[in-house]
Amino acid sequence: MQPVSSLRGIGHREGTFYELMPRSGMVTGVTGVGGSGSSSGGLQSPQRHPKFPRELSLEEQQELRRKINSRERKRMQDLNLAMDALREVMVPYSSSATSSLGAGAGLQHPYLPLGASPNGRRLSKISTLVLARNYILLLGSSLQEMRRLLGEVSIGGTVPHLLLTRGWPLFTGPGQLLLSSPEQQLGLAQCSSLPLNSAPTPEDSVAWGSRGVTGGPLCPCRVCRVPRVVHATPTARFQK
DNA sequence: TAGGCCATCTGGTCCT
DNA sequence: AGGACCAGATGGCCTA
């Protein structure tokens, strides 16, 4: 099947039809259907919208409403473009993730179809976000492991200072997933479960995500409460 | 047919 | 004042 959302949206919803015919008038013609505005009567109602200045004529109000709708549409389309860019990065990992989470591992991604490979089907928005989050956590875990190994090797030797420093480097690598520090990216700096004076370490971050600890407590902060994939062998999760 | 996912409209709120 | 952001509501498309 073809991906539906963006193509569908651009295909027959966007543009003149929706642009010129507000849903409230298009569908019911009278009462309006659109969401919380169901009581507003929309622009078809002779009543003026309270949001619009009184001095505006009905046509001007309609024009303003079209303008607002267009902006919102554009905003959502930009958001979808960003989501597509993220999908491009995550899709290669999603398939391997499913395979490693599938029958072999006895685990199932909560936001991927049960027992089904996402191959040929694009990731949903929430799947993309959850997958991206876990991927970021995995990168942190891998980095820590690498530092540890380098630390062992470097006794008496030389190791790039950046790799051994406590702070995280700003990744600009594949997918550029980390545009700022992971703490900022994940909102962990605001995590209520962490002491105020101790910045969360990468280990802290990973502990809530991809440690392979099944059934562990969920971090109470709103960031960490995002549903996560639990897996027994984190290193195999995103193998290419 | 039910449920998931999505785009769009809309009103409210916050920010510049 | 205008724009950005957000969340609720709605209907369409698709799959199991």
Side-chain angles (χ1 to χ4, degrees):
Chain A
M1 116 191 184
Q2 285 291 324
V4 288
S5 60
S6 56
L7 290 177
R8 182 180 56 198
I10 292 172
H12 76 266
R13 280 200 174 170
E14 186 200 24
T16 57
F17 186 68
Y18 267 69
E19 193 75 28
L20 298 177
M21 185 69 79
R23 174 176 289 229
S24 56
M26 178 183 69
V27 177
T28 64
V30 178
T31 58
V33 176
S36 55
S38 59
S39 62
S40 70
L43 298 171
Q44 305 298 312
S45 165
Q47 289 181 330
R48 291 178 185 274
H49 191 288
K51 180 170 184 158
F52 302 142
R54 274 185 168 278
E55 55 269 23
L56 290 185
S57 69
L58 194 59
E59 286 185 0
E60 287 170 330
Q61 291 184 43
Q62 291 178 350
E63 181 58 36
L64 181 55
R65 173 41 69 190
R66 277 192 288 266
K67 195 175 166 186
I68 293 172
N69 290 348
S70 179
R71 269 202 310 270
E72 175 67 6
R73 210 178 305 131
K74 171 74 164 49
R75 193 183 69 84
M76 295 307 296
Q77 286 169 359
D78 289 344
L79 183 64
N80 285 333
L81 285 179
M83 192 64 71
D84 284 339
L86 186 56
R87 278 191 189 98
E88 280 187 33
V89 175
M90 300 315 302
V91 160
Y93 302 100
S94 71
S95 56
S96 64
T98 302
S99 62
S100 67
L101 292 170
L107 295 167
Q108 169 65 39
H109 194 297
Y111 289 103
L112 288 178
L114 185 65
S117 166
N119 292 337
R121 183 174 180 175
R122 87 173 192 174
L123 286 170
S124 68
K125 289 180 177 177
I126 190 164
S127 295
T128 303
L129 292 175
V130 169
L131 210 53
R133 175 183 183 271
N134 282 293
Y135 180 52
I136 292 169
L137 293 175
L138 181 72
L139 288 179
S141 174
S142 300
L143 182 60
Q144 283 305 114
E145 180 68 9
M146 189 172 67
R147 283 205 191 101
R148 189 184 65 78
L149 293 174
L150 286 173
E152 291 177 357
V153 172
S154 71
I155 298 175
T158 59
V159 165
H161 176 72
L162 185 60
L163 289 174
L164 293 177
T165 53
R166 193 68 176 160
W168 285 41
L170 303 185
F171 285 15
T172 55
Q176 298 186 341
L177 282 171
L178 301 178
L179 300 177
S180 57
S181 74
E183 289 81 5
Q184 291 173 320
Q185 286 283 330
L186 298 176
L188 291 175
Q190 301 171 1
C191 181
S192 59
S193 68
L194 297 172
L196 286 176
N197 293 332
S198 63
T201 65
E203 292 94 331
D204 292 328
S205 311
V206 174
W208 298 108
S210 52
R211 266 284 172 78
V213 179
T214 58
L218 278 173
C219 173
C221 82
R222 66 188 175 92
V223 174
C224 300
R225 272 182 293 177
V226 172
R228 68 184 193 279
V229 178
V230 179
H231 48 91
T233 56
T235 55
R237 176 114 201 285
F238 292 116
Q239 278 181 346
K240 279 191 171 179

